Amino acid sequence: MNAKLNSLIFTSLSHFSVDGNFLLFPVLLTYYTEIRGISVFVIGLMPGIYNLISGFLSVYVGSFADRVDRDAVILMFGLLLNGLAAFAFSIPFLINGAAYEFIIIGSILLGVGQSIYHPIGATILSHTFGPRESASYMGINGSFGSLGRSAFPPMVVFIASFVGIALGLQVIVIYFVLAAVLVILGLRFFRRKDYQFSLPVKQNTTPKENSFVGTIPFFLIMLVVLVFLRSMFISVATTWIPTYLDGIFNSKHLMATILGIAFLAPVLGQPLFGYLTSRLGGRFTISLTSIGSVAFFILFLYFSRGFAIILFSYTIFAFFAYTGFPVLMGYAAQVTPKEHSTRANALVWGVGNTIGGSIGLFLFDGIRLFENMYMSFTIMLVFAIVSVFLLVYLPGKERKGSN
């Protein structure tokens, strides 16, 4: 296989695995609450913790990866950490008295493991396909992330119904070991130095060309702020919707069925929005997906009654909401200098998407001490609405960095 096909296949396998595992803990929340003596408030802090760890580390992962040029090894390490996190999350079901300790350990491992893929995967694709076309291929890649989010919840629930949740998590561990081996073998060819625009900035570049190094451009700051606010809401929806649905239907199987079907929508949505980002620009697609996700979550939360309409409204919400990888990373590739691509990716994804999500999760956990889940979702929705008004500060795709 050629380099482009290899990079697409094995980064897609990584994306499938990492994004699927991201929904592992939200599903486990519905099981942990059944352990005697477990505090919902305490375990509700864990998603905020692993998101915060992931967000902060992703900035350093991007900077480290820029220096060492060993992206395949770093991706393999991230997959193994995701597997170790699943192992730690299984221990509370075997040793109830050590539940908090192992949930915390698992959250730390998950946070570190989740910090790695997105800045690295985006960089591999932008190098092998080039900034002009990479958004479209990020869309294909992102669809595998959505497929992972669709597959993992029903897989975990249905395996657990036969062999128990503890043994079911061991299956996840084995899967991640195998995925890590395949990724290191499939991407061992990749070195950034083999691609012209990955070379360091020359010493005689003009101040304009080096402007990204000393200061962060205003448009990138506004993009990070917009993504931060949007992610405060979307991360809460991602983490707590399984519990919300389990409460409505009193059935983990119906909850897993809705999640499995809903997250199939971004499998189509990610390549579509990646293509639109390439052709019409990131500002257009960020606007479309932001407005669409807000509108259909309002329908889901306030106007949905019964299984069919809940499934429909949440599925369309997912179609718009879970498109961040091709839209945000593709847009970042359009408007930032190529030699700083990983740092820009880490800022947008790590600080905006991931740290924003963690702050939203901490806030939501605090709000739930005083309000029910319905009102807590309503309050968090305000942040997504505010983010829509910041769209006016984003430049079109004609804004370029150095060429």
Side-chain angles (χ1 to χ4, degrees):
M1 289 186 286
N2 62 36
K4 288 185 176 181
L5 185 58
N6 260 23
S7 67
L8 181 61
I9 289 174
F10 292 102
T11 58
S12 295
L13 173 61
S14 298
H15 208 165
F16 174 90
S17 307
V18 169
D19 276 23
N21 212 40
F22 186 75
L23 277 187
L24 181 63
F25 195 85
V27 173
L28 290 180
L29 279 171
T30 66
Y31 289 92
Y32 284 141
T33 54
E34 297 173 354
I35 298 176
R36 186 183 299 274
I38 286 287
S39 166
V40 177
F41 172 75
V42 173
I43 61 172
L45 294 172
M46 296 304 111
I49 289 174
Y50 63 68
N51 271 274
L52 194 62
I53 292 171
S54 175
F56 275 116
L57 284 182
S58 65
V59 178
Y60 296 99
V61 167
S63 179
F64 176 74
D66 283 341
R67 295 196 306 271
V68 301
D69 196 10
R70 297 295 300 276
D71 295 279
V73 174
I74 297 172
L75 279 185
M76 178 190 70
F77 182 66
L79 291 170
L80 291 175
L81 286 176
N82 274 272
L84 286 173
F87 177 78
F89 286 145
S90 72
I91 302 301
F93 299 107
L94 303 173
I95 310 173
N96 291 172
Y100 288 135
E101 291 85 347
F102 280 96
I103 290 174
I104 291 171
I105 291 171
S107 296
I108 293 171
L109 290 170
L110 183 62
V112 179
Q114 289 281 321
S115 70
I116 291 173
Y117 174 72
H118 290 92
I120 301 297
T123 296
I124 291 173
L125 292 172
S126 65
H127 278 62
T128 53
F129 288 98
R132 182 181 299 274
E133 298 298 328
S134 63
S136 294
Y137 290 97
M138 286 181 193
I140 297 171
N141 177 278
S143 71
F144 281 89
S146 296
L147 191 61
R149 288 192 295 260
S150 172
F152 269 57
M155 179 175 66
V156 171
V157 169
F158 287 107
I159 291 176
S161 67
F162 289 103
V163 300
I165 186 62
L167 187 56
L169 288 171
Q170 304 312 310
V171 176
I172 302 297
V173 176
I174 295 170
Y175 166 81
F176 271 99
V177 173
L178 294 175
V181 172
L182 290 174
V183 166
I184 189 64
L185 293 176
L187 292 176
R188 66 183 184 276
F189 75 91
F190 180 79
R191 290 291 186 275
R192 301 186 195 195
K193 61 183 176 61
D194 296 330
Y195 298 86
Q196 182 180 1
F197 56 79
S198 68
L199 297 174
V201 181
K202 297 178 181 178
Q203 294 300 316
N204 62 351
T205 51
T206 64
K208 180 180 179 181
E209 290 173 322
N210 274 311
S211 61
F212 190 89
V213 178
T215 60
I216 301 175
F218 176 75
F219 70 85
L220 186 59
I221 293 175
M222 295 311 301
L223 176 61
V224 171
V225 171
L226 183 157
V227 174
F228 190 100
L229 294 173
R230 185 173 105 158
S231 184
M232 286 180 69
F233 159 70
I234 290 179
S235 292
V236 165
T238 304
T239 302
W240 288 101
I241 285 299
T243 302
Y244 181 71
L245 294 173
D246 190 35
I248 291 175
F249 298 110
N250 195 28
S251 168
K252 289 181 175 58
H253 286 86
L254 285 179
M255 172 268 289
T257 299
I258 290 175
L259 293 179
I261 294 173
F263 280 104
L264 284 175
V267 173
L268 300 175
Q270 295 230 35
L272 170 63
F273 290 118
Y275 174 81
L276 292 177
T277 299
S278 292
R279 295 297 178 263
L280 302 178
R283 179 180 178 178
F284 171 82
T285 47
I286 291 174
S287 301
L288 180 61
T289 56
S290 296
I291 295 170
S293 61
V294 168
F296 280 94
F297 194 84
I298 290 173
L299 175 63
F300 167 78
L301 190 62
Y302 302 123
F303 302 101
S304 297
R305 298 294 183 271
F307 180 84
I309 188 64
I310 287 176
L311 174 61
F312 169 78
S313 57
Y314 189 68
T315 297
I316 305 304
F317 162 76
F319 176 76
F320 285 107
Y322 301 107
T323 56
F325 186 70
V327 173
L328 299 178
M329 299 295 94
Y331 181 56
Q334 290 174 348
V335 296
T336 57
K338 304 180 188 73
E339 64 270 15
H340 302 294
S341 61
T342 308
R343 290 181 179 87
N345 292 342
L347 282 171
V348 173
W349 196 268
V351 177
N353 193 68
T354 312
I355 295 180
S358 69
I359 298 302
L361 287 163
F362 285 134
L363 180 60
F364 184 82
D365 203 38
I367 293 171
R368 288 188 64 242
L369 291 175
F370 308 99
E371 299 286 351
N372 59 32
M373 192 168 289
Y374 178 87
M375 283 304 301
S376 300
F377 278 133
T378 298
I379 293 170
M380 297 308 299
L381 184 60
V382 173
F383 292 97
I385 294 171
V386 172
S387 74
V388 170
F389 289 98
L390 298 180
L391 291 166
V392 296
Y393 293 102
L394 301 185
K397 74 171 185 175
E398 69 277 359
R399 176 67 176 268
K400 299 287 185 181
S402 59
N403 293 315

